Amino acid sequence: MRKIYKKTLKFIYSINPFLGLRIILFRLIGYKIGAQVYLPRDLKISDLSERRNNLFIGDRVSIGPGVILITDSGPNNSHLSKLFPLESDKIFIGNDVWIGAGVIIMPGVNIGQNSIVAAGAVITKNIPPFCIVAGVPAKIIKYINANEV
């Protein structure tokens, strides 16, 4: 039953033009969403239907179009699952983070506050606060002066 509930709320999210209602829907699913957050309609979250509390998005976070957040990843029914078991972990996005278009964030990643993730980046490791990352896999390209923020 939980699986149908979660899939239904995700579908309603994807067709809903109202940001406030999108945030409410994600909170009902069990994601922790802060205040003054922007979530695009095409945000994709890949996770197991029965899991809750696996995504934390801080306050004043802006997420660009086409972003994919992956909290659960594995080869599913493939024979490869013997070699590569399901990877499940939480994603934490700190306050005042800007995530560009087309970013992919893998399980277990923490993105520190006041950081910027450039468009198209693939985040496989934790990102410290006050930095800009880009690339595949993402690497730090610049630090942000905390006194200027």
Side-chain angles (χ1 to χ4, degrees), residues 34 47 67 78 84 94 98 104-105 111 149:
D47 62 350
V67 170
S78 168
F84 303 100
W98 176 18
I104 299 173
I105 301 176
I111 300 178
V149 176

Side-chain angles (χ1 to χ4, degrees), residues 70-71 87-92 106-110 124-126:
I70 303 171
T71 64
E87 183 179 348
S88 294
D89 210 341
K90 299 175 180 179
I91 293 175
F92 292 90
M106 299 302 290
V109 168
N110 296 315
T124 59
K125 296 183 177 154
N126 292 342

Side-chain angles (χ1 to χ4, degrees), residues 100-137:
V103 169
I104 299 173
I105 301 176
M106 299 302 290
V109 168
N110 296 315
I111 300 178
Q113 69 176 1
N114 293 290
S115 290
I116 299 171
V117 180
V122 176
I123 310 302
T124 59
K125 296 183 177 154
N126 292 342
I127 306 299
F130 297 98
C131 68
I132 301 172
V133 298
V136 179

Side-chain angles (χ1 to χ4, degrees), residues 12 17 27 31 55 72-74 78 82 84 100 122 124 130:
I12 294 169
R27 287 177 178 155
Y31 304 136
L55 176 62
D72 299 288
S73 179
S78 168
K82 294 174 187 172
F84 303 100
V122 176
T124 59
F130 297 98

Side-chain angles (χ1 to χ4, degrees), residues 73-87:
S73 179
N76 296 331
N77 299 324
S78 168
H79 291 291
L80 291 172
S81 62
K82 294 174 187 172
L83 298 172
F84 303 100
L86 177 70
E87 183 179 348

